[in-house]
Amino acid sequence: MKSYQLIPFLPLAAFVINILLGKRIIKDKAHWIAVPAVLASWVISVFTLFDVIGGKVFNEDLYTWIISDGFIVSVGFLVDQLTAVMLIVVTTVSSLVHIYSVGYMHGDKGYYRFFSYLSLFTFSMLMLVMANNFLQLYFGWEAVGLCSYFLIGFWYEKKSASDAGKKAFIVNRFGDFGFGLGVIMIFLTFGTIHYEPVFNAVNGIVGQSINILGYDISLVTLIALLLFCGAVGKSAQIPLHVWLPDAMEGPTPVSALIHAATMVTAGVFMVARCNPIFNLSHVAMNVVAVTGAVTALFAATIALVQNDIKRIIAYSTISQLGYMFLACGVGAYAAGIFHLYTHAFFKALLFLGAGSVMHAMAGELDIQKMGGLKKYMPWTYWTFLLASLSIAGIPGFAGFFSKDEILWQAYASGPLGKIVWFLGAVTALLTAFYSFRIVFVAFHGKFRGTHEQEHHLHESPKVMTLPLAILAIGAIISGWVGIPPLIGEFLGIEHSDKFGAFLAPVVGHPHAEGTHGEEIFVMLLSILFAVGGIITAFFMYIKRPEIPVQLGESMKTAYRVLWNKYYVDELYHLIIVRPTFWVAQSVIVGVTDGKIIEGIVNGVPRAIGGFSEILRRVQTGFAHHYAAVMALGLLIIMIFLIL
Amino acid sequence: MEQMNTLGYPILSSVIFVPIIGAILMLLIKRTNESLIKWSALFFSILTFILSLPLFTNFDKKTHKMQFVEHHEWIPAWNINYSLGVDGISVLFVLLSTLITITCVLVSWNSIKTKLKEFYIALLLIEGAMIGVFCALDFFLFYIFWEAMLIPMFILIGVWGGPRRVYAAIKFFLYTLVGSVLMLVGIIVLYFYGGKTFDILKLSVMNYPYSMQLWLFWAFFAAFAVKVPMFPVHTWLPDAHTEAPTAGSVILAGILIKMGAYGFLRFSLPFFPDASKAMTPVMMTLSVIAIIYGAVVCLAQTDLKRLIAYSSVSHMGFVTLGIFAMNVNGLEGGILQMINHGIVTGALFLSVGIIYDRTHSREIADYGGVATVLPVYAAFFMVFTLASIGLPGMNGFIGEFLIILGGFAAKKWAGVLAATGIIIGAAYMLWLYQRVFFMEVNPKVQGLSDVNLREIITLLPMVILIFWIGVYPNTFLSFMHVSVQHLIDRLNIGTAPEMTLAKLLFFK
């Protein structure tokens, strides 16, 4: 076994140990199993990254999983540049979240269970990113979904938590429905579902089409769109975004790890991984770009008015994931993955910061009941501020580089690119605004909670603030490996976009067409929007706090629509949930099974002269009666046939 | 003669007759000596399981021919023979039967309180008969086992069942009887057409005229469809499952309803390849209806066992879909899914039985917060739930994926519609789990004791198999490859045009 193959299995071992022995033996020492395992995975991942930087690419099968006719699937690992980046992201954030959870989950009665699930999640996510074929990807895909289900519903006694977990799983199944069919289409088209042969052969199917309900649809477009269905579910894009805000019912470290930094980015990873397929379909690419851009703006508008700190950040996550898809859709996969990587740091930091606040305020989520937390929790405040500057896109911070790269690549990719760029740019303004709305409302001003809460306000323990500090460093410097050449030249750094160059062997180079002037314009505009958003938030929530109230009253309808998240949940309830239950209850139980089939079954014997009555009487006896009837029947038939 | 028995002793006969002999010996035990009754039932079921293990280890995976064959003249006047054998399609069901019976004995340990002796005797008789069904190579013998199994099953439901047991037992009996009688007619027709032979192997390679194939296909269909059960002849299943004692439900779900699908594989397909091919669209339509219909109706159930029973309709829809996809992926997926369903649904019924012993309620509304009170039990149930909804890494996924793949390759619409069943499947199972295990603790489950060692031993083999098949299905798939390929070669001689359900119903 090569060392990189241990990366996923160490957390798996930790899971097995904790889940079997946690309840009786390990108990509140569960982190002594889970944390070393994930740290070891992190160390190996770092070494693996250097191997890959040194030019190695691993693609090896462990064993053959399924053999059925030509359907032969292995469990195996592909570690190339893309996977190496994902390994670092996953193991880094997972390690920090593990450590943070030691403090955050301290004293919870499900302590060992929590760490078991974290380990299982880490294993699943690593299997997902290391897969060398689509079915193993699907395995990881569903397994992370399962862990998400476990962890969202971690406090399962709460109805809302168990509802949210169930919802996440089922909504994801809608996406996986398409994803699964996509995998099947790939197999039937290529005769294999291993990445390498599929991606090598994919050029050969250009121009082929398939007839569906009388329409000819390009095969490659169909495959790409089916795969994208899965991504839409997992990465919470319109129209399957509804599960992610509810997922905030889970413990906050989970939100940071699964619902911000890693699992929800699996869709982006998958699209980038399948870039040889997506590249061949303009239609699919445009769908990806538009879905991403629309989702980015849509979620950002909802985030403007929410008061639940975790939900704001959740909508922000949906929005940022939209950016990543936007990038993939215009062919700038490297930029999408770059944003995935920077986002992992600042978004995990935002969530963990929110968790730190909740920890201090006995679980309070409403930012209107916070205020002035800056002086009570300096570490939390400053790290949260850095993360907010990063997500807002202030130059120098990680978020600036990745977001700017996406917007520029979109702008430079053609006419549709201009449209999605515009949506993305507006989103940037909103992002800066709502991010700093949290900062100003929760951390500045006067404390608005109860006296009891105020009395208990405290900075979180070191085991929690240390991960915050490390992530804050990441939120600043992680972007420095992808400085656009424009700034690189200005600063005198050669080959400043190391990230893009590193990923190029997997995802290629985007073909941006634009002048330096345009690039400067796009960049200055994003900076302007970022600063403008922050200043607006400052003005509205620090200087003139009466404005938001007036605004809400003057635009009541708009406010209500945003507050109710465009009523999407209500719509789904009306058009999917209720009709299904109606069919189940009223049509099937009430009519088809209940009246028609049962009517015939019970009615026929009755109609022919109380046959059932006779049989019932026969059956009050025992086996010999029955045997006699059977023998008689057999005899009659035999006689009948022989004669 | 295709005769192979590398073991040198009649293994199949011993697996069939050890439980039957055990049942007879148990007649000698005093009715009051309850613990001896239980222990001897356990002894015979374990002994049978051990005896069946060479089928697993000594099976030759390189041939489609019948193995461990036994052949003796029985009633020469009618050319009836005692003839047994297994191939890659049937061998795993023998093993599943011997395993499931042990769990049935264990789960009934404390829950059966009346007529103990008769109960365990009936159980062992069922075991012998159902193994006989999977091994018989003579139609007469097959039919005897087929019907013999019903008698103790009928008694099991009718005597140890729930409040509506008599209704359920009669319904079960009526349904099955009607189907079986039609099959019997078919068997007799074959007997005379084939030159007075009941030899299944000989009859299976004859070429029957198309019109005859059609009629016989439907005659056999009547028996098998009821057993599976396929839509629309499924309504006996919820009643029988719900009213049966736990062991009865487990055997019904685990083995008995597999016999319908097994019948399609062993008889309908190879005997009537033209008719089977012609009926493919009809069968696939019925399968897809069963998948979706059975899943949707689960959403309206308030009774634990009834919900799981209806989910069987949906899962068995997958099985028949795979079989009638008539390609290797579909067939292998179908056979594997039969095993999977036996394990998972069997385990679900075992689990329901375990909690029912404590609460004496099957109403979902009487539960809530069980995970808080019985955490180990909840963990087991979670594994079974996840296996049931086809989570990758567990057995259900392999079966369902192969079936959808095969179904899609055969008919795209069938694959697509079947896949929707997986969405609904997640919905009803997770909702069930939520209502029973999550949320606040219902006062009715407060203070209940968690699973004991006996119950853990009952459930553990199921968990192991779930992960074994999920992680390394080749152990089991490799049994099937050659036999399934042989079946497909046989099917490929069929040339009849396809007929749709609409054509069939409206004689277009």
Side-chain angles (χ1 to χ4, degrees):
Chain A
M1 203 169 199
K2 304 216 172 64
S3 63
Y4 78 90
Q5 291 170 335
L6 282 173
I7 296 173
F9 294 117
L10 291 171
L12 178 67
F15 161 72
V16 172
I17 295 170
N18 267 335
I19 202 77
L20 292 181
L21 306 176
K23 191 170 177 58
R24 277 162 213 277
I25 300 167
I26 299 171
K27 293 178 195 164
D28 56 351
K29 304 272 185 300
H31 57 274
W32 286 112
I33 312 287
V35 175
V38 69
L39 282 175
S41 288
W42 177 74
V43 171
I44 304 174
S45 298
V46 172
F47 281 110
T48 308
L49 174 69
F50 284 115
D51 277 349
V52 176
I53 290 174
K56 275 192 207 160
V57 169
F58 306 94
N59 186 1
E60 287 163 302
D61 289 342
L62 269 191
Y63 75 95
T64 308
W65 184 15
I66 304 174
I67 304 173
S68 173
D69 205 18
F71 187 73
I72 299 167
V73 188
S74 303
V75 171
F77 297 129
L78 166 66
V79 181
D80 60 1
Q81 290 81 355
L82 178 59
T83 300
V85 170
M86 292 303 289
L87 286 179
I88 295 296
V89 170
V90 172
T91 54
T92 306
V93 180
S94 183
S95 300
L96 293 172
V97 166
H98 269 79
I99 294 167
Y100 178 94
S101 301
V102 175
Y104 190 85
M105 298 303 289
H106 178 77
D108 193 284
K109 69 184 164 93
Y111 191 76
Y112 82 96
R113 208 158 48 84
F114 185 81
F115 278 95
S116 309
Y117 295 157
L118 277 192
S119 299
L120 182 64
F121 170 77
T122 310
F123 158 73
S124 312
M125 191 69 205
L126 291 168
M127 288 296 275
L128 191 162
V129 298
M130 293 176 79
N132 71 353
N133 64 73
F134 283 97
L135 206 67
Q136 190 181 333
L137 174 71
Y138 192 85
F139 164 82
W141 195 264
E142 290 266 301
V144 290
L146 173 72
C147 300
S148 164
Y149 165 78
F150 282 152
L151 285 163
I152 295 169
F154 183 75
W155 289 306
Y156 55 78
E157 292 96 338
K158 265 170 76 187
K159 183 172 187 307
S160 56
S162 60
D163 275 341
K166 185 182 64 181
K167 181 174 173 184
F169 198 98
I170 294 168
V171 171
N172 267 293
R173 274 270 158 124
F174 278 90
D176 296 350
F177 166 77
F179 186 21
L181 290 177
V183 174
I184 287 175
M185 287 290 302
I186 287 173
F187 173 71
L188 294 177
T189 308
F190 299 101
T192 174
I193 54 170
H194 282 250
Y195 292 151
E196 206 183 351
V198 170
F199 295 154
N200 286 338
V202 72
N203 278 308
I205 65 159
V206 176
Q208 289 184 34
S209 62
I210 181 169
N211 191 296
I212 295 173
L213 303 172
Y215 294 95
D216 279 329
I217 294 172
S218 148
L219 190 56
V220 70
T221 299
L222 183 68
I223 291 176
L225 288 179
L226 284 171
L227 292 176
F228 185 60
C229 282
V232 167
K234 193 64 65 196
S235 296
Q237 299 294 289
I238 292 174
L240 298 178
H241 64 283
V242 289
W243 66 270
L244 187 58
D246 287 20
M248 297 301 119
E249 289 285 344
T252 307
V254 170
S255 313
L257 175 61
I258 301 185
H259 304 120
T262 55
M263 183 188 83
V264 289
T265 63
V268 182
F269 164 76
M270 190 254 274
V271 173
R273 171 57 81 210
C274 300
N275 71 81
I277 298 176
F278 280 85
N279 281 336
L280 295 176
S281 168
H282 279 295
V283 179
M285 289 294 268
N286 292 344
V287 169
V288 174
V290 171
T291 307
V294 171
T295 306
L297 184 61
F298 169 87
T301 56
I302 299 176
L304 294 176
V305 302
Q306 302 297 316
N307 279 332
D308 180 321
I309 185 168
K310 283 185 71 181
R311 281 184 188 246
I312 301 172
I313 308 175
Y315 279 106
S316 155
T317 305
I318 298 176
S319 175
Q320 298 298 310
L321 290 164
Y323 272 120
M324 299 174 206
F325 282 111
L326 191 167
C328 294
V330 299
Y333 300 99
I337 296 294
F338 188 37
H339 196 55
L340 184 162
Y341 150 83
T342 59
H343 174 257
F345 292 99
F346 60 72
K347 188 54 65 69
L349 177 53
L350 285 174
F351 268 120
L352 294 185
S356 181
V357 169
M358 289 167 65
H359 196 67
M361 293 195 59
E364 183 60 64
L365 284 162
D366 189 342
I367 54 170
Q368 302 297 350
K369 292 180 183 151
M370 300 173 187
L373 297 178
K374 181 181 162 189
K375 68 174 175 194
Y376 302 100
M377 326 180 60
W379 279 95
T380 306
Y381 170 71
W382 286 105
T383 52
F384 200 92
L385 182 67
L386 291 174
S388 301
L389 289 168
S390 192
I391 191 177
I394 296 299
F397 290 88
F400 166 76
F401 295 110
S402 54
K403 194 186 291 182
D404 178 64
E405 182 69 10
I406 290 175
L407 291 176
W408 163 239
Q409 295 289 355
Y411 183 90
S413 72
L416 184 79
K418 298 268 191 308
I419 298 172
V420 295
W421 162 78
F422 178 73
L423 296 176
V426 175
T427 306
L429 175 69
L430 302 180
T431 307
F433 174 80
Y434 68 67
S435 299
F436 274 83
R437 176 168 170 258
I438 305 179
V439 172
F440 293 135
V441 174
F443 290 94
H444 289 256
K446 269 202 188 127
F447 186 74
R448 295 178 296 275
T450 62
H451 278 295
E452 203 184 337
Q453 279 174 329
E454 188 169 10
H455 185 68
H456 283 113
L457 280 178
H458 58 274
E459 181 57 286
S460 297
K462 289 233 163 48
V463 71
M464 288 166 69
T465 51
L466 179 74
L468 294 182
I470 295 173
L471 283 170
I473 296 169
I476 302 169
I477 65 164
S478 67
W480 296 355
V481 294
I483 297 170
L486 188 69
I487 300 181
E489 279 165 31
F490 182 71
L491 296 174
I493 309 167
E494 268 182 65
H495 307 297
S496 58
D497 185 13
K498 293 190 178 61
F499 196 92
F502 179 60
L503 282 185
V506 186
V507 298
H509 291 283
H511 16 264
E513 288 165 20
T515 61
H516 268 328
E518 284 175 307
E519 194 174 351
I520 293 169
F521 160 73
V522 166
M523 191 182 291
L524 287 179
L525 199 69
S526 4
I527 297 172
L528 183 71
F529 277 3
V531 176
I534 297 172
I535 291 174
T536 315
F538 178 75
F539 191 71
M540 281 177 71
Y541 294 100
I542 300 284
K543 284 279 159 203
R544 303 275 302 276
E546 69 279 4
I547 291 183
V549 182
Q550 289 166 358
L551 215 58
E553 270 167 22
S554 62
M555 298 197 289
K556 257 201 175 115
T557 319
Y559 179 79
R560 202 178 299 137
V561 169
L562 291 181
W563 176 252
N564 287 301
K565 311 141 202 159
Y566 296 94
Y567 296 99
V568 179
D569 275 317
E570 286 76 5
L571 179 72
Y572 288 172
H573 194 73
L574 197 71
I575 62 169
I576 298 174
V577 180
R578 274 178 57 186
T580 312
F581 275 91
W582 179 77
V583 168
Q585 237 128 25
S586 305
V587 178
I588 298 187
V589 174
V591 181
T592 53
D593 253 29
K595 296 239 163 65
I596 299 176
I597 299 177
E598 286 291 80
I600 294 170
V601 170
N602 292 328
V604 168
R606 231 167 265 148
I608 47 175
F611 185 59
S612 70
E613 214 33 56
I614 296 167
L615 279 169
R616 192 163 296 159
R617 231 170 281 145
V618 171
Q619 293 319 311
T620 53
F622 286 120
H624 54 280
H625 284 164
Y626 172 66
V629 172
M630 208 182 83
L632 191 72
L634 210 139
L635 199 71
I636 293 169
I637 292 164
M638 290 277 249
I639 291 168
F640 180 76
L641 281 166
I642 291 166
L643 292 179
Chain B
M1 257 330 258
E2 298 181 21
Q3 290 218 7
M4 293 176 50
N5 191 348
T6 48
L7 280 178
Y9 69 94
I11 180 170
L12 294 177
S13 286
S14 39
V15 176
I16 293 170
F17 285 101
V18 162
I20 293 176
I21 292 168
I24 294 168
L25 287 177
M26 280 173 64
L27 287 171
L28 306 172
I29 303 175
K30 257 200 196 147
R31 160 175 312 284
T32 48
N33 195 345
E34 294 191 348
S35 87
L36 183 62
I37 292 172
K38 289 195 271 195
W39 281 103
S40 43
L42 184 62
F43 169 77
F44 284 114
S45 60
I46 291 177
L47 179 66
T48 314
F49 176 68
I50 293 170
L51 283 172
S52 69
L53 285 179
L55 297 177
F56 188 72
T57 51
N58 290 32
F59 187 84
D60 180 359
K61 295 173 182 174
K62 291 189 196 68
T63 175
H64 67 266
K65 290 181 178 161
M66 288 294 166
Q67 304 186 36
F68 312 108
V69 169
E70 295 167 36
H71 190 86
H72 304 284
E73 277 195 348
W74 186 12
I75 311 174
W78 287 355
N79 196 11
I80 293 170
N81 296 299
Y82 175 82
S83 168
L84 302 171
V86 287
D87 66 356
I89 292 170
S90 53
V91 62
L92 292 174
F93 295 104
V94 176
L95 291 157
L96 184 66
S97 306
T98 57
L99 178 69
I100 293 248
T101 310
I102 302 177
T103 66
C104 287
V105 172
L106 284 172
V107 81
S108 308
W109 207 256
N110 291 332
S111 61
I112 298 298
K113 299 200 165 66
T114 55
K115 303 196 179 75
L116 231 68
K117 188 166 142 183
E118 290 81 356
F119 178 84
Y120 288 105
I121 288 175
L123 203 58
L124 288 175
L125 289 176
I126 294 177
E127 180 181 18
M130 60 193 186
I131 296 171
V133 168
F134 291 119
C135 298
L137 293 182
D138 181 280
F139 254 132
F140 194 84
L141 187 66
F142 170 80
Y143 195 78
I144 287 182
F145 282 132
W146 178 272
E147 293 290 5
M149 178 191 62
L150 287 183
I151 304 163
M153 193 66 224
F154 171 76
I155 295 171
L156 214 62
I157 300 173
V159 175
W160 292 274
R164 291 171 72 235
R165 57 182 178 268
V166 177
Y167 171 77
I170 289 174
K171 196 166 174 183
F172 165 69
F173 164 80
L174 263 182
Y175 253 112
T176 328
L177 181 85
V178 172
S180 304
V181 164
L182 287 170
M183 176 173 71
L184 182 63
V185 175
I187 291 176
I188 292 166
V189 171
L190 286 177
Y191 173 75
F192 286 105
Y193 189 89
K196 298 197 177 179
T197 176
F198 283 115
D199 187 328
I200 289 174
L201 294 180
K202 267 188 207 152
L203 290 171
S204 72
V205 291
M206 296 187 63
N207 293 324
Y208 306 96
Y210 180 59
S211 61
M212 181 179 170
Q213 282 194 25
L214 269 186
W215 287 113
L216 287 173
F217 178 87
W218 286 108
F220 278 83
F221 171 85
F224 301 147
V226 165
K227 271 267 167 43
V228 167
M230 288 175 80
F231 175 88
V233 288
H234 62 277
T235 58
W236 66 269
L237 185 84
D239 284 315
H241 265 319
T242 311
E243 296 305 320
T246 302
S249 306
V250 173
I251 288 192
L252 271 175
I255 311 293
L256 199 133
I257 64 175
K258 304 297 163 324
M259 290 178 180
Y262 172 73
F264 285 126
L265 289 164
R266 174 66 73 229
F267 304 110
S268 301
L269 263 52
F271 280 53
F272 322 121
D274 290 308
S276 301
K277 279 219 151 165
M279 291 304 154
T280 299
V282 179
M283 294 296 131
M284 290 182 99
T285 308
L286 291 177
S287 305
V288 167
I289 293 176
I291 291 172
I292 297 173
Y293 187 99
V296 171
V297 71
C298 284
L299 291 169
Q301 300 308 313
T302 55
D303 181 309
L304 270 172
K305 283 180 93 175
R306 221 176 160 77
L307 192 154
I308 299 168
Y310 267 116
S311 81
S312 289
V313 175
S314 182
H315 287 293
M316 290 306 287
F318 275 105
V319 171
T320 49
L321 178 67
I323 291 173
F324 284 96
M326 296 198 189
N327 49 38
V328 176
N329 297 140
L331 279 164
E332 293 191 349
I335 298 169
L336 188 68
Q337 190 62 5
M338 285 158 75
I339 312 268
N340 292 340
H341 178 262
I343 295 166
V344 174
T345 309
L348 283 170
F349 277 119
L350 290 171
S351 308
V352 172
I354 286 170
I355 194 93
Y356 181 81
D357 285 349
R358 290 162 171 71
T359 60
H360 298 286
S361 170
R362 299 188 314 246
E363 281 298 313
I364 295 171
D366 283 345
Y367 293 91
V370 173
T372 309
V373 186
L374 294 84
V376 180
Y377 174 70
F380 274 109
F381 207 101
M382 178 53 88
V383 172
F384 304 141
T385 301
L386 296 175
S388 172
I389 63 179
L391 201 86
M394 299 189 181
N395 59 355
F397 172 71
I398 312 281
E400 282 177 2
F401 194 87
L402 287 175
I403 289 167
I404 295 174
L405 176 61
F408 191 87
K411 294 267 179 290
K412 290 198 179 57
W413 56 265
V416 173
L417 290 173
T420 62
I422 291 182
I423 303 177
I424 316 171
Y428 68 73
M429 281 313 285
L430 293 184
W431 190 40
L432 170 75
Y433 198 89
Q434 182 192 21
R435 285 179 291 170
V436 173
F437 291 89
F438 292 158
M439 304 194 286
E440 281 173 23
V441 178
N442 190 317
K444 290 180 182 164
V445 299
Q446 193 74 58
L448 297 180
S449 58
D450 209 336
V451 280
N452 57 35
L453 187 64
R454 170 180 58 82
E455 290 160 337
I456 289 176
I457 292 172
T458 312
L459 297 177
L460 208 55
M462 306 306 207
V463 174
I464 292 169
L465 281 170
I466 283 170
F467 285 108
W468 184 353
I469 300 177
V471 174
Y472 196 70
N474 289 334
T475 315
F476 302 89
L477 287 171
S478 60
F479 278 88
M480 305 165 195
H481 295 323
V482 181
S483 293
V484 164
Q485 192 55 53
H486 181 67
L487 180 58
I488 296 215
D489 293 342
R490 168 76 186 158
L491 279 167
N492 282 342
I493 66 167
T495 50
E498 290 186 341
M499 200 177 272
T500 62
L501 187 60
K503 273 188 200 163
L504 193 74
L505 288 177
F506 305 112
F507 302 102
K508 275 182 190 164

